[in-house]
Amino acid sequence: MVVLGIESTAHTASVGIVADDARVVSLASAMYRPERGGIHPREAANHHVEVLPELVRKALEDGGVRPSEVEAVAFAQGPGLGPCLRAGATVARMLSMAWRRPLVPVNHCVAHVEIARVLSGLDDPILLYASGGNTQVIAYARGRYRVLGETLDVGIGNFLDKLWIELGGKFPGGPALEKEALAGGELQPLPYSVHGMDVAFSGMLTAALALHRKGVPRQDLAYSVEVTAYAMLTEITERALAHLRGHGVVLGGGVACNERLRAMVRAMVEGRGGTMFAPPRSLCVDNGAMIAWTGHLAYDAGVTTSIAGSAVEPRQRTDLVATPWRRSTGAAPASLLEPTPAPAG
Ligand code: AMP
Ligand code: MG
């Protein structure tokens, strides 16, 4: 039996089918690419409505799966763009009703952790989740995934996209900047904005654009932005690892496709005697397989939803989502987040 998962939180519509042993049976994705500028939520949602039926058909056909073999239908409930989430949830509800299969809600960020966790074989890794809209360091502690640190303004990917578009390029900016920065460059001073466990990027955007207006070559800017921003992410991941006395780090999110980021985090983790794992690119970016796999874990642990209770949650927080499947696995790292009991008296 397999679980079918639907992802539609932002610009990617994707349908994945995953078996009990986490084997990805099939994965069919389509990305909304705006002609100019960033993502327009309603246009992205229209794109998803158009492509999702075909993606479902393709995933079933590519995997040689009959609807009767699908055990449950999972969907990304949040966080994400409301109209986009609703497009995926609507298709999931329809399949659940048509096939008479349970509907399983999945948190998108938790799904990034779970797919990396199963692929890496690491029992209790810390996730550096670096995507378009999200930038978080996540670890499991006492029944929940906790956000230990995150961006205080925009997600790293949105920052890279915005910068590239302002420099005259097209969405998505991350891969284009990576190409531009490949051969290195002259390191420019940029704001290095780490606040405890958190990071911020808007100051770097302003500074990089000011350098651009002064005539600093695009290659130097791309190189300097990559080095500075990825050093910030590496630093907060290292601090989480040190606090939790962790051994493993996994990566997730589209920006985790970046070779420089992978190399920097790997050097840090291995320097501390730990293990770093980055999923293949197709499973780093938003994808239906991670939703299907997390749906599997959730369904096996008894998590399902009625149609009436399946409303999307654009602001769903990682640490508010129950993860009953993890109760029996792994030792929770000593959490710094547990409230200290107030002294008596
Ligand atoms: P996601 O939101 O996880 O689907 O990831 C999309 C984001 O990842 C976009 O902001 C892209 O610019 C960014 N991205 C994709 N590939 C790369 C790369 N090789 N280097 C840096 N950023 C990337
Ligand atoms: Mg994502």
Side-chain angles (χ1 to χ4, degrees), residues 21-287:
D21 58 0
R23 185 173 53 88
V24 178
V25 175
S26 61
L27 178 60
S29 305
M31 189 174 159
Y32 158 74
R33 288 173 191 271
E35 259 315 298
R36 38 199 292 280
I39 302 178
H40 188 297
R42 219 163 338 102
E43 282 177 18
N46 289 343
H47 165 267
H48 298 348
V49 168
E50 260 172 46
V51 300
L52 273 169
E54 173 59 18
L55 294 177
V56 171
R57 194 199 59 73
K58 186 167 187 320
L60 290 170
E61 188 181 301
D62 289 356
V65 173
R66 289 189 302 273
S68 60
E69 293 168 312
V70 175
E71 196 171 4
V73 178
F75 70 103
Q77 188 173 34
L81 302 170
C84 298
L85 286 167
R86 276 189 284 278
T90 303
V91 173
R93 288 181 200 118
M94 194 199 73
L95 293 178
S96 160
M97 285 193 289
W99 296 344
R100 297 173 196 277
R101 287 292 183 274
L103 188 59
V104 182
V106 167
N107 175 278
H108 176 89
C109 309
V110 169
H112 275 292
V113 188
E114 291 300 351
I115 193 75
R117 196 163 74 92
V118 69
L119 293 172
S120 67
L122 294 168
D123 182 46
D124 195 20
I126 291 167
L127 172 78
L128 171 59
Y129 174 31
S131 76
N134 295 289
T135 305
Q136 299 180 330
V137 176
I138 299 173
Y140 179 79
R142 308 245 185 127
R144 297 285 158 99
Y145 282 105
R146 315 272 176 176
V147 178
L148 302 183
E150 61 189 317
T151 178
L152 298 173
D153 45 34
V154 291
I156 174 124
N158 288 357
F159 155 63
L160 298 172
D161 295 336
K162 173 100 174 118
L163 175 64
W164 186 245
I165 289 165
E166 295 282 333
L167 295 179
K170 265 184 143 188
F171 175 89
L177 282 162
E178 177 170 40
K179 232 191 228 166
E180 190 78 42
L182 211 56
E186 191 175 316
L187 191 63
Q188 304 292 319
L190 290 168
Y192 183 93
S193 203
V194 172
H195 307 273
M197 292 297 296
D198 299 324
V199 289
F201 297 108
S202 51
M204 202 188 313
L205 178 63
T206 307
L209 292 177
L211 290 170
H212 171 58
R213 283 192 296 274
K214 277 192 198 156
V216 172
R218 212 153 76 160
Q219 184 182 340
D220 292 349
L221 280 180
Y223 173 69
S224 307
V225 161
E226 281 212 333
V227 168
T228 311
Y230 298 158
M232 287 161 50
L233 297 186
T234 306
E235 180 183 331
I236 60 169
T237 308
E238 177 164 28
R239 191 168 297 122
L241 204 59
H243 279 318
L244 297 175
R245 299 195 182 92
H247 298 289
V249 170
V250 294
L251 300 185
V255 183
C257 294
N258 186 279
E259 289 298 337
R260 192 183 308 278
L261 177 63
R262 288 177 179 222
M264 288 169 72
V265 176
R266 183 180 297 283
M268 179 277 287
V269 177
E270 291 180 354
R272 303 183 64 92
T275 307
M276 194 288 266
F277 176 83
R281 285 181 176 68
S282 61
L283 300 177
C284 247
V285 299
D286 291 349
N287 67 87

